[in-house]
mmCIF file of all heavy atoms in Angstrom:
data_model
loop_
_atom_site.group_PDB
_atom_site.id
_atom_site.type_symbol
_atom_site.label_atom_id
_atom_site.label_comp_id
_atom_site.label_asym_id
_atom_site.label_seq_id
_atom_site.Cartn_x
_atom_site.Cartn_y
_atom_site.Cartn_z
ATOM 1 N N GLY A 1 -133.584 41.201 8.995
ATOM 2 C CA GLY A 1 -133.297 40.319 10.120
ATOM 3 C C GLY A 1 -132.814 41.102 11.348
ATOM 4 O O GLY A 1 -132.113 42.103 11.222
ATOM 5 N N ILE A 2 -133.188 40.597 12.514
ATOM 6 C CA ILE A 2 -132.659 41.103 13.784
ATOM 7 C C ILE A 2 -131.963 39.940 14.485
ATOM 8 O O ILE A 2 -132.575 38.887 14.718
ATOM 9 C CB ILE A 2 -133.748 41.681 14.681
ATOM 10 C CG1 ILE A 2 -134.412 42.884 14.033
ATOM 11 C CG2 ILE A 2 -133.181 42.045 16.056
ATOM 12 C CD1 ILE A 2 -135.522 43.500 14.865
ATOM 13 N N LYS A 3 -130.691 40.127 14.789
ATOM 14 C CA LYS A 3 -129.916 39.074 15.442
ATOM 15 C C LYS A 3 -129.908 39.309 16.952
ATOM 16 O O LYS A 3 -129.604 40.404 17.423
ATOM 17 C CB LYS A 3 -128.483 39.064 14.921
ATOM 18 C CG LYS A 3 -127.636 37.887 15.425
ATOM 19 C CD LYS A 3 -126.264 37.883 14.786
ATOM 20 C CE LYS A 3 -125.480 36.602 15.098
ATOM 21 N NZ LYS A 3 -125.342 36.355 16.539
ATOM 22 N N SER A 4 -130.251 38.254 17.686
ATOM 23 C CA SER A 4 -130.206 38.307 19.132
ATOM 24 C C SER A 4 -129.697 36.956 19.628
ATOM 25 O O SER A 4 -130.382 35.929 19.470
ATOM 26 C CB SER A 4 -131.596 38.591 19.716
ATOM 27 O OG SER A 4 -131.552 38.563 21.134
ATOM 28 N N GLY A 5 -128.501 36.935 20.161
ATOM 29 C CA GLY A 5 -127.886 35.665 20.558
ATOM 30 C C GLY A 5 -127.637 34.801 19.343
ATOM 31 O O GLY A 5 -127.032 35.231 18.362
ATOM 32 N N LYS A 6 -128.123 33.556 19.379
ATOM 33 C CA LYS A 6 -127.909 32.621 18.278
ATOM 34 C C LYS A 6 -129.106 32.542 17.336
ATOM 35 O O LYS A 6 -129.210 31.614 16.530
ATOM 36 C CB LYS A 6 -127.613 31.229 18.843
ATOM 37 C CG LYS A 6 -126.301 31.147 19.616
ATOM 38 C CD LYS A 6 -126.026 29.727 20.092
ATOM 39 C CE LYS A 6 -124.699 29.630 20.838
ATOM 40 N NZ LYS A 6 -124.415 28.251 21.301
ATOM 41 N N VAL A 7 -130.007 33.501 17.430
ATOM 42 C CA VAL A 7 -131.207 33.494 16.593
ATOM 43 C C VAL A 7 -131.285 34.780 15.780
ATOM 44 O O VAL A 7 -131.077 35.870 16.287
ATOM 45 C CB VAL A 7 -132.486 33.342 17.448
ATOM 46 C CG1 VAL A 7 -133.721 33.350 16.565
ATOM 47 C CG2 VAL A 7 -132.422 32.088 18.283
ATOM 48 N N VAL A 8 -131.597 34.618 14.494
ATOM 49 C CA VAL A 8 -131.904 35.769 13.628
ATOM 50 C C VAL A 8 -133.362 35.652 13.225
ATOM 51 O O VAL A 8 -133.786 34.617 12.671
ATOM 52 C CB VAL A 8 -131.007 35.811 12.364
ATOM 53 C CG1 VAL A 8 -131.383 37.016 11.517
ATOM 54 C CG2 VAL A 8 -129.542 35.867 12.738
ATOM 55 N N THR A 9 -134.148 36.673 13.529
ATOM 56 C CA THR A 9 -135.566 36.688 13.200
ATOM 57 C C THR A 9 -135.811 37.705 12.087
ATOM 58 O O THR A 9 -135.304 38.825 12.156
ATOM 59 C CB THR A 9 -136.412 37.033 14.424
ATOM 60 O OG1 THR A 9 -136.084 36.145 15.494
ATOM 61 C CG2 THR A 9 -137.893 36.898 14.125
ATOM 62 N N TYR A 10 -136.589 37.278 11.079
ATOM 63 C CA TYR A 10 -136.822 38.133 9.910
ATOM 64 C C TYR A 10 -138.250 38.657 9.900
ATOM 65 O O TYR A 10 -139.197 37.918 10.173
ATOM 66 C CB TYR A 10 -136.525 37.362 8.627
ATOM 67 C CG TYR A 10 -135.062 37.074 8.442
ATOM 68 C CD1 TYR A 10 -134.506 35.884 8.920
ATOM 69 C CD2 TYR A 10 -134.219 38.001 7.836
ATOM 70 C CE1 TYR A 10 -133.146 35.620 8.776
ATOM 71 C CE2 TYR A 10 -132.861 37.736 7.706
ATOM 72 C CZ TYR A 10 -132.333 36.559 8.174
ATOM 73 O OH TYR A 10 -130.979 36.323 8.030
ATOM 74 N N TYR A 11 -138.358 39.961 9.553
ATOM 75 C CA TYR A 11 -139.644 40.640 9.508
ATOM 76 C C TYR A 11 -139.852 41.224 8.110
ATOM 77 O O TYR A 11 -138.954 41.840 7.539
ATOM 78 C CB TYR A 11 -139.691 41.753 10.556
ATOM 79 C CG TYR A 11 -139.463 41.278 11.970
ATOM 80 C CD1 TYR A 11 -138.149 41.122 12.463
ATOM 81 C CD2 TYR A 11 -140.513 40.969 12.809
ATOM 82 C CE1 TYR A 11 -137.924 40.660 13.750
ATOM 83 C CE2 TYR A 11 -140.297 40.503 14.106
ATOM 84 C CZ TYR A 11 -138.995 40.350 14.568
ATOM 85 O OH TYR A 11 -138.763 39.893 15.846
ATOM 86 N N ASP A 12 -141.033 40.989 7.557
ATOM 87 C CA ASP A 12 -141.357 41.457 6.226
ATOM 88 C C ASP A 12 -141.209 42.985 6.143
ATOM 89 O O ASP A 12 -141.810 43.709 6.963
ATOM 90 C CB ASP A 12 -142.790 41.040 5.869
ATOM 91 C CG ASP A 12 -143.135 41.274 4.417
ATOM 92 O OD1 ASP A 12 -143.106 42.454 3.988
ATOM 93 O OD2 ASP A 12 -143.428 40.294 3.709
ATOM 94 N N LEU A 13 -140.410 43.455 5.186
ATOM 95 C CA LEU A 13 -140.183 44.901 5.068
ATOM 96 C C LEU A 13 -141.455 45.669 4.750
ATOM 97 O O LEU A 13 -141.594 46.833 5.124
ATOM 98 C CB LEU A 13 -139.147 45.176 3.984
ATOM 99 C CG LEU A 13 -137.673 45.061 4.406
ATOM 100 C CD1 LEU A 13 -136.758 45.162 3.197
ATOM 101 C CD2 LEU A 13 -137.326 46.149 5.410
ATOM 102 N N GLU A 14 -142.388 44.996 4.068
ATOM 103 C CA GLU A 14 -143.613 45.673 3.667
ATOM 104 C C GLU A 14 -144.681 45.641 4.756
ATOM 105 O O GLU A 14 -145.235 46.662 5.140
ATOM 106 C CB GLU A 14 -144.155 45.050 2.386
ATOM 107 C CG GLU A 14 -145.406 45.729 1.839
ATOM 108 C CD GLU A 14 -145.909 45.055 0.578
ATOM 109 O OE1 GLU A 14 -145.142 44.304 -0.060
ATOM 110 O OE2 GLU A 14 -147.080 45.293 0.221
ATOM 111 N N THR A 15 -144.975 44.439 5.272
ATOM 112 C CA THR A 15 -146.075 44.295 6.228
ATOM 113 C C THR A 15 -145.611 44.427 7.684
ATOM 114 O O THR A 15 -146.422 44.714 8.556
ATOM 115 C CB THR A 15 -146.731 42.913 6.082
ATOM 116 O OG1 THR A 15 -145.801 41.887 6.455
ATOM 117 C CG2 THR A 15 -147.185 42.688 4.642
ATOM 118 N N GLY A 16 -144.335 44.190 7.949
ATOM 119 C CA GLY A 16 -143.834 44.207 9.318
ATOM 120 C C GLY A 16 -143.982 42.909 10.058
ATOM 121 O O GLY A 16 -143.432 42.736 11.144
ATOM 122 N N LEU A 17 -144.726 41.927 9.492
ATOM 123 C CA LEU A 17 -144.977 40.667 10.180
ATOM 124 C C LEU A 17 -143.710 39.806 10.273
ATOM 125 O O LEU A 17 -142.867 39.846 9.383
ATOM 126 C CB LEU A 17 -146.071 39.889 9.456
ATOM 127 C CG LEU A 17 -147.484 40.500 9.490
ATOM 128 C CD1 LEU A 17 -148.418 39.691 8.616
ATOM 129 C CD2 LEU A 17 -148.003 40.591 10.923
ATOM 130 N N LYS A 18 -143.622 39.054 11.352
ATOM 131 C CA LYS A 18 -142.511 38.113 11.492
ATOM 132 C C LYS A 18 -142.743 36.960 10.522
ATOM 133 O O LYS A 18 -143.793 36.311 10.532
ATOM 134 C CB LYS A 18 -142.449 37.601 12.937
ATOM 135 C CG LYS A 18 -141.363 36.570 13.177
ATOM 136 C CD LYS A 18 -141.056 36.390 14.647
ATOM 137 C CE LYS A 18 -142.252 36.069 15.498
ATOM 138 N NZ LYS A 18 -141.927 35.919 16.921
ATOM 139 N N VAL A 19 -141.741 36.652 9.683
ATOM 140 C CA VAL A 19 -141.922 35.642 8.636
ATOM 141 C C VAL A 19 -140.941 34.480 8.759
ATOM 142 O O VAL A 19 -141.166 33.434 8.155
ATOM 143 C CB VAL A 19 -141.813 36.268 7.235
ATOM 144 C CG1 VAL A 19 -142.997 37.179 6.946
ATOM 145 C CG2 VAL A 19 -140.496 37.045 7.073
ATOM 146 N N SER A 20 -139.870 34.637 9.516
ATOM 147 C CA SER A 20 -138.905 33.541 9.600
ATOM 148 C C SER A 20 -137.978 33.718 10.791
ATOM 149 O O SER A 20 -137.746 34.832 11.259
ATOM 150 C CB SER A 20 -138.077 33.487 8.308
ATOM 151 O OG SER A 20 -137.104 32.471 8.356
ATOM 152 N N SER A 21 -137.449 32.569 11.272
ATOM 153 C CA SER A 21 -136.415 32.567 12.296
ATOM 154 C C SER A 21 -135.350 31.561 11.911
ATOM 155 O O SER A 21 -135.655 30.484 11.394
ATOM 156 C CB SER A 21 -136.989 32.173 13.667
ATOM 157 O OG SER A 21 -137.828 33.169 14.184
ATOM 158 N N VAL A 22 -134.105 31.915 12.148
ATOM 159 C CA VAL A 22 -132.988 31.007 11.900
ATOM 160 C C VAL A 22 -132.217 30.870 13.202
ATOM 161 O O VAL A 22 -131.609 31.824 13.683
ATOM 162 C CB VAL A 22 -132.058 31.527 10.781
ATOM 163 C CG1 VAL A 22 -130.920 30.527 10.554
ATOM 164 C CG2 VAL A 22 -132.820 31.762 9.494
ATOM 165 N N ALA A 23 -132.278 29.668 13.784
ATOM 166 C CA ALA A 23 -131.582 29.405 15.043
ATOM 167 C C ALA A 23 -130.340 28.552 14.764
ATOM 168 O O ALA A 23 -130.431 27.521 14.102
ATOM 169 C CB ALA A 23 -132.503 28.678 16.016
ATOM 170 N N THR A 24 -129.210 28.985 15.251
ATOM 171 C CA THR A 24 -127.965 28.247 15.064
ATOM 172 C C THR A 24 -127.735 27.358 16.267
ATOM 173 O O THR A 24 -127.750 27.806 17.408
ATOM 174 C CB THR A 24 -126.787 29.210 14.890
ATOM 175 O OG1 THR A 24 -127.024 30.050 13.766
ATOM 176 C CG2 THR A 24 -125.498 28.440 14.671
ATOM 177 N N GLN A 25 -127.535 26.061 15.993
ATOM 178 C CA GLN A 25 -127.360 25.089 17.061
ATOM 179 C C GLN A 25 -126.131 24.242 16.761
ATOM 180 O O GLN A 25 -125.920 23.804 15.631
ATOM 181 C CB GLN A 25 -128.593 24.197 17.153
ATOM 182 C CG GLN A 25 -128.506 23.098 18.194
ATOM 183 C CD GLN A 25 -129.767 22.262 18.242
ATOM 184 O OE1 GLN A 25 -130.827 22.702 17.868
ATOM 185 N NE2 GLN A 25 -129.642 21.028 18.662
ATOM 186 N N GLU A 26 -125.291 24.003 17.785
ATOM 187 C CA GLU A 26 -124.136 23.148 17.633
ATOM 188 C C GLU A 26 -124.457 21.764 18.192
ATOM 189 O O GLU A 26 -124.956 21.632 19.302
ATOM 190 C CB GLU A 26 -122.937 23.736 18.371
ATOM 191 C CG GLU A 26 -122.424 25.029 17.730
ATOM 192 C CD GLU A 26 -121.167 25.547 18.419
ATOM 193 O OE1 GLU A 26 -120.556 24.760 19.163
ATOM 194 O OE2 GLU A 26 -120.801 26.704 18.189
ATOM 195 N N GLN A 27 -124.189 20.754 17.355
ATOM 196 C CA GLN A 27 -124.509 19.381 17.775
ATOM 197 C C GLN A 27 -123.467 18.432 17.181
ATOM 198 O O GLN A 27 -123.238 18.434 15.977
ATOM 199 C CB GLN A 27 -125.909 18.990 17.300
ATOM 200 C CG GLN A 27 -126.436 17.727 17.919
ATOM 201 C CD GLN A 27 -127.899 17.500 17.556
ATOM 202 O OE1 GLN A 27 -128.324 17.803 16.451
ATOM 203 N NE2 GLN A 27 -128.675 16.983 18.482
ATOM 204 N N GLY A 28 -122.850 17.647 18.024
ATOM 205 C CA GLY A 28 -121.870 16.687 17.538
ATOM 206 C C GLY A 28 -120.688 17.322 16.851
ATOM 207 O O GLY A 28 -120.105 16.755 15.924
ATOM 208 N N GLY A 29 -120.339 18.541 17.257
ATOM 209 C CA GLY A 29 -119.208 19.220 16.649
ATOM 210 C C GLY A 29 -119.548 19.895 15.325
ATOM 211 O O GLY A 29 -118.665 20.490 14.692
ATOM 212 N N GLN A 30 -120.823 19.842 14.896
ATOM 213 C CA GLN A 30 -121.238 20.475 13.658
ATOM 214 C C GLN A 30 -122.244 21.569 13.956
ATOM 215 O O GLN A 30 -123.020 21.499 14.905
ATOM 216 C CB GLN A 30 -121.836 19.449 12.697
ATOM 217 C CG GLN A 30 -120.833 18.431 12.186
ATOM 218 C CD GLN A 30 -121.402 17.597 11.057
ATOM 219 O OE1 GLN A 30 -122.547 17.751 10.666
ATOM 220 N NE2 GLN A 30 -120.583 16.708 10.519
ATOM 221 N N VAL A 31 -122.228 22.579 13.088
ATOM 222 C CA VAL A 31 -123.165 23.689 13.230
ATOM 223 C C VAL A 31 -124.388 23.405 12.369
ATOM 224 O O VAL A 31 -124.286 23.038 11.199
ATOM 225 C CB VAL A 31 -122.507 25.013 12.776
ATOM 226 C CG1 VAL A 31 -123.518 26.152 12.842
ATOM 227 C CG2 VAL A 31 -121.308 25.329 13.654
ATOM 228 N N MET A 32 -125.548 23.567 12.964
ATOM 229 C CA MET A 32 -126.813 23.257 12.269
ATOM 230 C C MET A 32 -127.727 24.496 12.347
ATOM 231 O O MET A 32 -127.899 25.081 13.417
ATOM 232 C CB MET A 32 -127.478 22.063 12.941
ATOM 233 C CG MET A 32 -128.853 21.712 12.430
ATOM 234 S SD MET A 32 -129.499 20.284 13.370
ATOM 235 C CE MET A 32 -131.161 20.192 12.698
ATOM 236 N N ASN A 33 -128.284 24.884 11.219
ATOM 237 C CA ASN A 33 -129.246 25.981 11.181
ATOM 238 C C ASN A 33 -130.654 25.425 11.147
ATOM 239 O O ASN A 33 -130.997 24.603 10.291
ATOM 240 C CB ASN A 33 -129.022 26.875 9.967
ATOM 241 C CG ASN A 33 -127.802 27.753 10.137
ATOM 242 O OD1 ASN A 33 -127.410 28.094 11.248
ATOM 243 N ND2 ASN A 33 -127.192 28.136 9.025
ATOM 244 N N ILE A 34 -131.497 25.855 12.082
ATOM 245 C CA ILE A 34 -132.890 25.438 12.131
ATOM 246 C C ILE A 34 -133.731 26.622 11.637
ATOM 247 O O ILE A 34 -133.793 27.668 12.282
ATOM 248 C CB ILE A 34 -133.310 25.028 13.547
ATOM 249 C CG1 ILE A 34 -132.428 23.863 14.004
ATOM 250 C CG2 ILE A 34 -134.772 24.652 13.590
ATOM 251 C CD1 ILE A 34 -132.554 23.565 15.489
ATOM 252 N N VAL A 35 -134.343 26.453 10.485
ATOM 253 C CA VAL A 35 -135.103 27.538 9.857
ATOM 254 C C VAL A 35 -136.600 27.281 10.047
ATOM 255 O O VAL A 35 -137.090 26.189 9.769
ATOM 256 C CB VAL A 35 -134.782 27.649 8.359
ATOM 257 C CG1 VAL A 35 -135.622 28.742 7.707
ATOM 258 C CG2 VAL A 35 -133.303 27.957 8.158
ATOM 259 N N THR A 36 -137.306 28.309 10.500
ATOM 260 C CA THR A 36 -138.754 28.215 10.653
ATOM 261 C C THR A 36 -139.405 29.416 9.952
ATOM 262 O O THR A 36 -138.971 30.553 10.133
ATOM 263 C CB THR A 36 -139.168 28.245 12.136
ATOM 264 O OG1 THR A 36 -138.472 27.185 12.820
ATOM 265 C CG2 THR A 36 -140.653 28.037 12.286
ATOM 266 N N THR A 37 -140.396 29.133 9.134
ATOM 267 C CA THR A 37 -141.157 30.212 8.510
ATOM 268 C C THR A 37 -142.532 30.282 9.162
ATOM 269 O O THR A 37 -143.102 29.261 9.566
ATOM 270 C CB THR A 37 -141.326 29.991 7.004
ATOM 271 O OG1 THR A 37 -141.952 28.714 6.765
ATOM 272 C CG2 THR A 37 -139.966 30.016 6.305
ATOM 273 N N TYR A 38 -143.059 31.506 9.281
ATOM 274 C CA TYR A 38 -144.353 31.752 9.927
ATOM 275 C C TYR A 38 -145.348 32.230 8.872
ATOM 276 O O TYR A 38 -145.076 33.166 8.125
ATOM 277 C CB TYR A 38 -144.212 32.797 11.027
ATOM 278 C CG TYR A 38 -143.166 32.434 12.062
ATOM 279 C CD1 TYR A 38 -141.851 32.900 11.948
ATOM 280 C CD2 TYR A 38 -143.484 31.610 13.139
ATOM 281 C CE1 TYR A 38 -140.885 32.554 12.881
ATOM 282 C CE2 TYR A 38 -142.509 31.265 14.085
ATOM 283 C CZ TYR A 38 -141.214 31.742 13.941
ATOM 284 O OH TYR A 38 -140.257 31.393 14.861
ATOM 285 N N GLU A 39 -146.519 31.574 8.862
ATOM 286 C CA GLU A 39 -147.514 31.870 7.840
ATOM 287 C C GLU A 39 -148.918 31.870 8.441
ATOM 288 O O GLU A 39 -149.113 31.552 9.603
ATOM 289 C CB GLU A 39 -147.433 30.822 6.706
ATOM 290 C CG GLU A 39 -146.047 30.642 6.103
ATOM 291 C CD GLU A 39 -145.976 29.435 5.166
ATOM 292 O OE1 GLU A 39 -147.026 29.029 4.646
ATOM 293 O OE2 GLU A 39 -144.864 28.902 4.990
ATOM 294 N N ASP A 40 -149.881 32.203 7.570
ATOM 295 C CA ASP A 40 -151.301 32.093 7.898
ATOM 296 C C ASP A 40 -151.664 32.849 9.179
ATOM 297 O O ASP A 40 -152.172 32.273 10.139
ATOM 298 C CB ASP A 40 -151.695 30.613 8.031
ATOM 299 C CG ASP A 40 -153.203 30.409 8.069
ATOM 300 O OD1 ASP A 40 -153.930 31.312 7.594
ATOM 301 O OD2 ASP A 40 -153.659 29.378 8.567
ATOM 302 N N TYR A 41 -151.406 34.148 9.175
ATOM 303 C CA TYR A 41 -151.756 34.978 10.353
ATOM 304 C C TYR A 41 -153.274 35.121 10.467
ATOM 305 O O TYR A 41 -153.957 35.416 9.480
ATOM 306 C CB TYR A 41 -151.097 36.350 10.237
ATOM 307 C CG TYR A 41 -149.677 36.392 10.748
ATOM 308 C CD1 TYR A 41 -148.605 35.991 9.935
ATOM 309 C CD2 TYR A 41 -149.384 36.803 12.047
ATOM 310 C CE1 TYR A 41 -147.295 36.024 10.402
ATOM 311 C CE2 TYR A 41 -148.079 36.840 12.509
ATOM 312 C CZ TYR A 41 -147.041 36.452 11.690
ATOM 313 O OH TYR A 41 -145.744 36.481 12.170
ATOM 314 N N LYS A 42 -153.773 34.913 11.698
ATOM 315 C CA LYS A 42 -155.188 35.094 11.984
ATOM 316 C C LYS A 42 -155.334 35.926 13.267
ATOM 317 O O LYS A 42 -154.470 35.882 14.144
ATOM 318 C CB LYS A 42 -155.885 33.740 12.168
ATOM 319 C CG LYS A 42 -155.893 32.883 10.915
ATOM 320 C CD LYS A 42 -156.557 31.535 11.183
ATOM 321 C CE LYS A 42 -156.517 30.659 9.930
ATOM 322 N NZ LYS A 42 -157.130 29.329 10.187
ATOM 323 N N GLU A 43 -156.444 36.605 13.368
ATOM 324 C CA GLU A 43 -156.657 37.481 14.506
ATOM 325 C C GLU A 43 -157.332 36.734 15.644
ATOM 326 O O GLU A 43 -158.324 36.051 15.474
ATOM 327 C CB GLU A 43 -157.508 38.683 14.095
ATOM 328 C CG GLU A 43 -157.466 39.825 15.099
ATOM 329 C CD GLU A 43 -158.100 41.100 14.568
ATOM 330 O OE1 GLU A 43 -157.504 41.709 13.645
ATOM 331 O OE2 GLU A 43 -159.192 41.453 15.056
ATOM 332 N N VAL A 44 -156.772 36.865 16.841
ATOM 333 C CA VAL A 44 -157.346 36.284 18.060
ATOM 334 C C VAL A 44 -157.443 37.404 19.088
ATOM 335 O O VAL A 44 -156.432 37.933 19.541
ATOM 336 C CB VAL A 44 -156.473 35.141 18.609
ATOM 337 C CG1 VAL A 44 -157.120 34.557 19.879
ATOM 338 C CG2 VAL A 44 -156.272 34.060 17.576
#
């Protein structure tokens, strides 16, 4: 993972591809983690 601000982005150690992001968001006095995974890479 690489942390920048309130986001940690994860890169596959083997392939180097970006595979996930975790964004920390505060809402209503509670901390919420928004997790996104990235899949199905295609060449454009």
